[in-house]
Amino acid sequence: MSSRRLPFALVLAYLGAVVAVDLMTPSNLRLDVYAALAPMTAAALCTYRQTVFVGVLDFCLMVAHHGVVGGEVAVNRVGSFVGNALMVGASIAVARLRRDGDALLERVRATGEAAQRALLRPLPLHTPSVVVDGFYVSSQREALVGGDVYEVVDTPYGTRVLIGDVRGKGLGTLGAGAAVLTAFREAAYHRRDLESGVVAMEQGLYRYHRSAEYQARLRPERHGGQPEDVRMRAAEEFVTALVFGTEEGPEGPESPEGPGDPGAGGHVPLVFVDCGHVAPFLIGADGGVRELEPADAGLPLGLGDLAAAPRTAQRVALPPGCRVLACTDGVTEARSPDGACYPLAERLDAWAALPTPRLLGRLRADLDAHTGGRLQDDVAVLVLERAAEYHGAAGAGAGAGGAVTDGAAVP
């Protein structure tokens, strides 16, 4: 409402100036047409009530000054009176239509925002073992989500975190992203190990591509192609993803890490599966930054049938004070006006000592500065860090039936 006060004041000032000039000029020189521009301008720039006020004020001022009948040009007076009334009425009608359109747009926006927030929950998200903060920016104006997805789930087997990137950008990729996200949420509660959860996510994407809705959207007659072209387009809509999970600490000598490795001394034992995604970064408590490049990166979701071997999990300890930053290629491939890619590793090395909220704020502002405010792709960034209340892996998941290590429950 405050943004409409200045236009309202300017319209009133214009109307006052027209009336003042009209008073100082001969009576046969009427300025009704100029005064009538005030309510028309108010209809375009001001609120409905402000437009009604300006219209009524304009009409009353013109009638009070010139009257309706009298003198030698009564017909002209009546014509001016009717013309002014029509202009005021049209202005009020336009303002009413504009008000109703704005109200409808607001309802649609609120509905869309609620639907999008159901797909991607606001950050930060907390679990007993980790805190996940970050930000999301869609490359499509007025959209809260696009081709990138993320989720954090607290399960009986530990925390599960997903960040993914659908090939493409904008709202057209929502279907594939929602299919992967739904499958992840379901698998997180029923699959102990991340590898089988990733398989379930890929199966969810396959089901989406076989759905009648998806097939109808890619009908050959709509795209001027053959059925083989449709199948090829479905195969090209893959999803890169990183899936993180917290593990229970070693409970015996059979643990592959051994004592003093993940799970000891309050370390969060972290496992992740790479599905062709941008490698995450480990930000150390001392400020050091290194890339967690997996030894065997898997194929993106939707292309798993092309590999003979299943995707494998990588393990890393997350000591107190350490963080893991994961992002989509909308960050690493963000281009400056001269074509240079965003130097994420250099920026993280310079900002590693900053607390997470400040680091994320600095990163988002720097991305805008680097691209000139014109992102070419959707952007998602997540930072995982040890929760303040976490006291070691032995206590994690205790409320869900005991500790979990390598997919086997330890009572």
Side-chain angles (χ1 to χ4, degrees), residues 4-5 7-13 15-16 35 38-43 46-62 84 88-89 91-93 95-96:
R4 304 288 177 89
R5 290 177 181 172
F8 180 58
L10 292 176
V11 169
L12 289 180
L15 182 59
M40 294 299 294
T41 304
C46 302
T47 66
Y48 174 71
R49 290 185 177 182
Q50 290 171 344
T51 302
V52 172
F53 178 81
V54 171
V56 173
L57 179 63
D58 166 64
F59 182 76
C60 293
L61 287 174
M62 290 301 101
N84 192 276
V88 171
S91 301
I92 294 175
R96 176 66 178 268

Side-chain angles (χ1 to χ4, degrees), residues 86-118:
L86 290 175
M87 290 285 282
V88 171
S91 301
I92 294 175
V94 169
R96 176 66 178 268
L97 291 174
R98 201 167 141 265
R99 183 190 68 175
D100 294 344
D102 289 344
L104 176 61
L105 180 61
E106 187 61 32
R107 289 195 297 271
V108 170
R109 183 182 291 114
T111 302
E113 181 175 346
Q116 293 177 87
R117 288 304 185 195

Side-chain angles (χ1 to χ4, degrees), residues 336-359:
S336 63
D338 60 3
C341 288
Y342 185 73
L344 178 61
E346 296 178 15
R347 296 294 196 268
L348 292 181
D349 190 61
W351 303 332
L354 295 176
T356 298
R358 288 186 58 195
L359 186 150

Side-chain angles (χ1 to χ4, degrees), residues 27-343:
S27 59
N28 60 347
L29 180 61
R30 301 194 56 146
L31 300 181
D32 302 61
V33 63
Y34 298 101
L37 290 176
M40 294 299 294
T41 304
L45 301 178
C46 302
T47 66
Y48 174 71
R49 290 185 177 182
Q50 290 171 344
T51 302
V52 172
F53 178 81
V54 171
V56 173
L57 179 63
D58 166 64
F59 182 76
C60 293
L61 287 174
M62 290 301 101
V63 171
H65 179 52
H66 294 285
V68 180
V69 294
E72 299 177 355
V73 286
V75 174
N76 291 340
R77 290 174 179 268
V78 172
S80 297
F81 168 81
V82 173
N84 192 276
L86 290 175
M87 290 285 282
V88 171
S91 301
I92 294 175
V94 169
R96 176 66 178 268
L97 291 174
R98 201 167 141 265
R99 183 190 68 175
D100 294 344
D102 289 344
L104 176 61
L105 180 61
E106 187 61 32
R107 289 195 297 271
V108 170
R109 183 182 291 114
T111 302
E113 181 175 346
Q116 293 177 87
R117 288 304 185 195
L119 186 65
L120 297 181
R121 297 185 294 155
L123 295 165
L125 296 168
H126 301 257
T127 73
S129 55
V130 297
V131 176
V132 182
D133 202 353
F135 62 85
Y136 191 108
V137 182
S138 175
S139 61
Q140 187 162 327
R141 290 185 61 187
E142 303 299 331
L144 297 178
V145 298
D148 295 349
V149 294
Y150 66 83
E151 181 58 294
V152 180
V153 182
D154 183 24
T155 78
Y157 315 116
T159 298
R160 300 291 183 260
V161 180
L162 165 70
I163 183 170
D165 184 1
V166 184
R167 181 180 180 270
K169 62 182 179 179
L171 296 177
T173 59
L174 275 179
V180 170
L181 195 57
T182 301
F184 167 78
R185 287 168 173 164
E186 182 68 18
Y189 286 99
H190 300 286
R191 307 291 181 104
R192 285 186 171 89
D193 59 290
L194 296 188
E195 295 91 332
S196 64
V198 168
V199 171
M201 292 162 57
E202 190 162 50
Q203 291 172 348
L205 182 61
Y206 288 150
R207 287 194 300 270
Y208 168 70
H209 286 157
R210 291 194 299 266
S211 66
E213 176 188 0
Y214 185 82
Q215 295 295 326
R217 185 161 60 89
L218 293 183
R219 283 198 305 268
E221 58 269 22
R222 293 182 60 182
H223 297 271
Q226 301 299 320
E228 293 79 9
D229 299 330
V230 176
R231 289 193 292 269
M232 183 175 296
R233 282 193 292 270
E236 290 176 349
E237 191 177 43
F238 56 81
V239 181
T240 67
L242 278 172
V243 182
F244 296 89
T246 58
E247 277 192 338
E248 300 313 314
E251 295 288 331
E254 70 276 10
S255 173
E257 291 85 1
D261 277 333
H267 291 47
V268 177
L270 200 63
V271 185
F272 70 96
V273 177
D274 185 358
C275 304
H277 199 76
V278 178
F281 290 86
L282 179 64
I283 305 175
D286 58 354
V289 177
R290 68 181 177 92
E291 193 173 6
L292 295 177
E293 188 69 38
D296 184 19
L299 292 175
L301 302 175
L303 303 179
D305 292 342
L306 302 179
R311 302 174 181 91
T312 58
Q314 309 288 322
R315 286 170 169 77
V316 62
L318 190 61
C322 289
R323 295 168 287 178
V324 172
L325 183 141
C327 66
T328 58
D329 61 8
V331 177
T332 56
E333 297 179 5
R335 301 276 182 170
S336 63
D338 60 3
C341 288
Y342 185 73

